[in-house]
Amino acid sequence: MTDSPDLENISLQIQQARAKFEGQLDSVGTDSVALESLRVLALGKTGYINELAKQLGKMNAEDRSKFGSLINALKQDATWRIAERKQSIEGIRIKQRLANERIDVTAPVRASALETGRIHPLSQVWDEVVAIFADMGFAVEQGPDIETDHYNFGALNFPEGHPAREMHDTFYFEPDASGARKLLRTHTSPVQVRTMEAGEPPFRFICPGRTYRCDSDQTHTPQFHQIEGLVVDETTHLGHLKWTLEEFLRAFFEVEGVELRMRPSFFPFTEPSMEVDVRCARLGNEIRIGEGDDWLEILGCGMVHPNVLRSSGIDPEKYQGFAFGMGIDRLAMLKYGIPDLRAFFESDLRWLKHYGFAALDVPTLAGGLSS
Ligand code: DAH
């Protein structure tokens, strides 16, 4: 038994290991990472408690069972103490989360994007105009923003060098190899020609779209919006034009007594040409449509010039019709009392909140245009 271990010393080592473990567990506190390190340090394969057990192999059976059960008790205690601490750390963590993540179910619900988002007055008016004309059986047509001189001017009966071209303050592109210059369309009228070229009469359509002119002040922006209208068949006459515009303006301004006045005017693409005014009252900055003794110019129109029909491949001996064009921006300003056009393009959320429309209030004639 000379090489048998010093039993007193082992007893002491077990006691020291227990005390050491207790001390270390104390300093772990509620730190779960430190707790895991302690578990490895004490109970891991080469941990100090397992190291003690290695001495059992050198003992006789009686001593092995005695010290074996002491070491096992220490192992079990330590394992249990670690599990217990782990549980209490988890408990603290859950308590903290519950405190931090508590929701106040009595707090008011935050408004959804659907309620805070707004439809821009221009989009609103665009939709309103389309709803009214769609109800009258008009199709909606489109054309390109970048146009040729032919569609923007030539085919619309603007003679070469005619002053009407200058009046449009056109944005031109650099000339191409052949010297031809493309341009940003100055009006939606080119869509008349493009649509007639591509189809067969009769025609009844509108074209809402972007238009461009080199101009900027309180009532002009370099990019703006127009709606073009065209009706062509064998018997369409001026009376139809007047009725259509009256119906449109009454529906659009949502005022029964809208009154129109037609003044002779000039556009190269219509003959005769007219400008249409609506009766209004001006009260300071406010304009009231359908009342008062003032007149407000609102659109241009006329009977389609035979040359325009001809350049669109339509026989002017057989077909005739009317056209009209108006500014969507101007309609929006008048209907919704918006004094400065430039604000339309400034993306100021406060402005949009004031003048904008609820996202789901889609304008329809049956449901109401602007309510
Ligand atoms: N294109 C014209 C403009 O921008 C507006 C216009 C006037 C269109 C009379 C028409 C019309 O179709 O008949 O100024």
Side-chain angles (χ1 to χ4, degrees):
M1 292 287 286
T2 44
D3 62 344
S4 87
D6 174 348
L7 297 182
E8 285 226 348
N9 195 19
I10 291 199
S11 241
L12 193 66
Q13 280 178 31
I14 294 174
Q15 271 176 35
Q16 281 170 344
R18 188 178 281 279
K20 178 172 163 185
F21 176 77
E22 287 300 333
Q24 285 173 329
L25 188 62
D26 270 354
S27 53
V28 158
T30 57
D31 182 343
S32 57
V33 178
L35 183 69
E36 176 59 13
S37 306
L38 173 59
R39 190 189 65 74
V40 175
L41 186 72
L43 293 165
K45 243 197 185 134
T46 56
Y48 58 78
I49 295 179
N50 264 339
E51 286 300 322
L52 281 177
K54 284 185 185 156
Q55 300 186 47
L56 292 175
K58 297 175 198 152
M59 295 179 194
N60 61 31
E62 197 184 330
D63 292 342
R64 191 183 302 132
S65 112
K66 181 178 165 205
F67 289 108
S69 63
L70 280 178
I71 293 172
N72 266 344
L74 172 59
K75 225 188 220 173
Q76 269 171 16
D77 285 352
T79 306
W80 188 79
R81 301 272 281 138
I82 283 180
E84 182 192 47
R85 180 64 60 91
K86 200 169 177 174
Q87 212 170 33
S88 77
I89 293 175
E90 182 65 4
I92 292 168
R93 204 180 61 82
I94 288 175
K95 249 194 202 144
Q96 271 169 354
R97 269 190 67 182
L98 281 176
N100 291 341
E101 295 177 12
R102 186 167 51 199
I103 51 166
D104 179 358
V105 292
T106 65
V109 180
R110 201 189 308 143
S112 72
L114 212 54
E115 289 158 58
T116 49
R118 281 286 173 279
I119 299 295
H120 195 287
L122 271 179
S123 308
Q124 167 78 16
V125 166
W126 181 306
D127 290 347
E128 289 181 18
V129 174
V130 169
I132 297 167
F133 280 110
D135 194 64
M136 291 198 247
F138 283 66
V140 176
E141 300 290 349
Q142 304 254 276
D145 289 19
I146 297 175
E147 264 302 1
T148 59
D149 184 272
H150 171 73
Y151 284 111
N152 198 78
F153 293 124
L156 287 166
N157 198 34
F158 284 76
E160 208 63 57
H162 193 278
R165 290 186 182 222
E166 309 308 314
M167 282 165 59
H168 276 213
D169 298 313
T170 313
F171 285 114
Y172 283 100
F173 288 82
E174 292 292 326
D176 64 16
S178 70
R181 289 197 295 173
K182 288 242 172 100
L183 50 86
L184 289 175
R185 68 177 176 195
T186 59
H187 50 177
T188 43
S189 304
V191 185
Q192 291 186 19
V193 179
R194 286 184 174 275
T195 308
M196 284 196 283
E197 262 182 0
E200 292 293 327
F203 294 103
R204 183 162 48 180
F205 62 84
I206 55 165
C207 161
R210 291 172 196 258
T211 45
Y212 308 81
R213 290 185 200 182
C214 186
D215 202 354
S216 183
D217 60 31
Q218 195 175 344
T219 51
H220 297 90
T221 48
Q223 190 257 301
F224 55 106
H225 304 84
Q226 286 191 341
I227 290 232
E228 193 77 14
L230 183 102
V231 174
V232 165
D233 68 15
E234 293 179 27
T235 55
T236 303
H237 56 70
L238 207 89
H240 296 138
L241 168 61
K242 185 159 188 273
W243 179 87
T244 304
L245 294 177
E246 265 172 2
E247 281 301 301
F248 165 69
L249 292 170
R250 185 175 305 136
F252 178 74
F253 285 110
E254 301 175 69
V255 176
E256 255 323 294
V258 170
E259 205 183 317
L260 302 193
R261 181 175 81 172
M262 287 177 144
R263 277 180 295 108
S265 182
F266 172 79
F267 302 104
F269 37 88
T270 44
E271 182 56 41
S273 301
M274 285 144 290
E275 266 164 336
V276 174
D277 302 335
V278 284
R279 184 185 284 283
C280 71
R282 291 174 206 265
L283 308 151
N285 265 346
E286 194 191 341
I287 293 179
R288 290 219 190 119
I289 305 289
E291 309 173 14
D293 295 318
D294 254 332
W295 294 94
L296 186 78
E297 184 195 322
I298 201 135
L299 58 88
C301 61
M303 298 304 291
V304 181
H305 197 291
N307 286 348
V308 176
L309 293 172
R310 221 170 272 126
S311 44
S312 309
I314 309 288
D315 178 6
E317 299 299 325
K318 189 168 178 205
Y319 294 102
Q320 59 183 34
F322 64 78
F324 56 88
M326 56 197 150
I328 302 181
D329 317 69
R330 187 168 158 74
L331 288 176
M333 289 171 80
L334 287 171
K335 180 166 180 181
Y336 294 113
I338 301 168
D340 193 327
L341 176 61
R342 289 167 296 193
F344 280 178
F345 305 96
E346 280 170 0
S347 306
D348 181 334
L349 283 179
R350 292 161 305 173
W351 182 88
L352 196 55
K353 200 167 180 186
H354 181 77
Y355 286 110
F357 294 82
L360 289 184
D361 283 346
V362 178
T364 63
L365 286 182
L369 287 180
S370 60
S371 53

